Amino acid sequence: QVQLVESGGGLVQAGGSLRLSCAASGSTFSIDAMGWYRQAPGKQRDLVARIDSGGRTNYADSVKGRFTISRDNAKNTVTLQMNSLKPEDTAIYYCHAVTYIYRSDYWGQGTQVTVSS
């Protein structure tokens, strides 16, 4: 089992920055990729950014050039630096991890990000 706890988030004006962090605990040795998803009201949960155990990253087109994902394998943390935020970035952001074996999915509880115009 893997537990994920997010921190960060909050309210920011358009053009501002926020930093989200996620700490993993439990069977962290089993984690392959980690990432962030977001879900706006009435919409599906979509991938924002992902980083695998080798440090390879991929981003949603809508955040490329504005968001940066990073990972500290020694501390079992993943961070999402969000710059040049837009109102359309408003959503609940969820930390996600997937394991090597069985490809089991784990989710954090979510953290609200609100960008005002």
Side-chain angles (χ1 to χ4, degrees):
Q1 293 288 322
V2 173
Q3 294 79 42
L4 302 173
V5 178
E6 299 120 337
S7 60
L11 173 64
V12 66
Q13 288 188 333
S17 298
L18 283 174
R19 186 180 181 90
L20 304 182
S21 295
C22 174
S25 61
S27 301
T28 56
F29 61 90
S30 66
I31 296 174
D32 180 13
M34 298 185 73
W36 292 91
Y37 286 70
R38 68 186 180 187
Q39 187 168 21
K43 296 189 177 181
Q44 66 181 19
R45 189 176 298 187
D46 291 325
L47 175 70
V48 176
R50 178 182 182 274
I51 184 167
D52 67 17
S53 56
R56 291 173 290 269
T57 60
N58 60 288
Y59 296 89
D61 288 343
S62 60
V63 307
K64 285 180 180 177
R66 300 188 297 122
F67 291 11
T68 302
I69 190 169
S70 59
R71 180 172 176 175
D72 187 330
N73 291 325
K75 296 182 178 180
N76 298 309
T77 58
V78 62
T79 299
L80 185 68
Q81 178 66 42
M82 306 185 292
N83 299 327
S84 302
L85 282 160
K86 304 176 181 180
E88 51 263 44
D89 294 318
T90 295
I92 299 174
Y93 283 68
Y94 296 91
C95 181
H96 173 260
V98 60
T99 60
Y100 288 105
I101 299 176
Y102 305 122
R103 309 306 292 174
S104 297
D105 293 290
Y106 294 92
W107 296 92
Q109 79 281 4
T111 185
Q112 177 71 46
V113 171
T114 303
V115 184
S116 63
S117 57

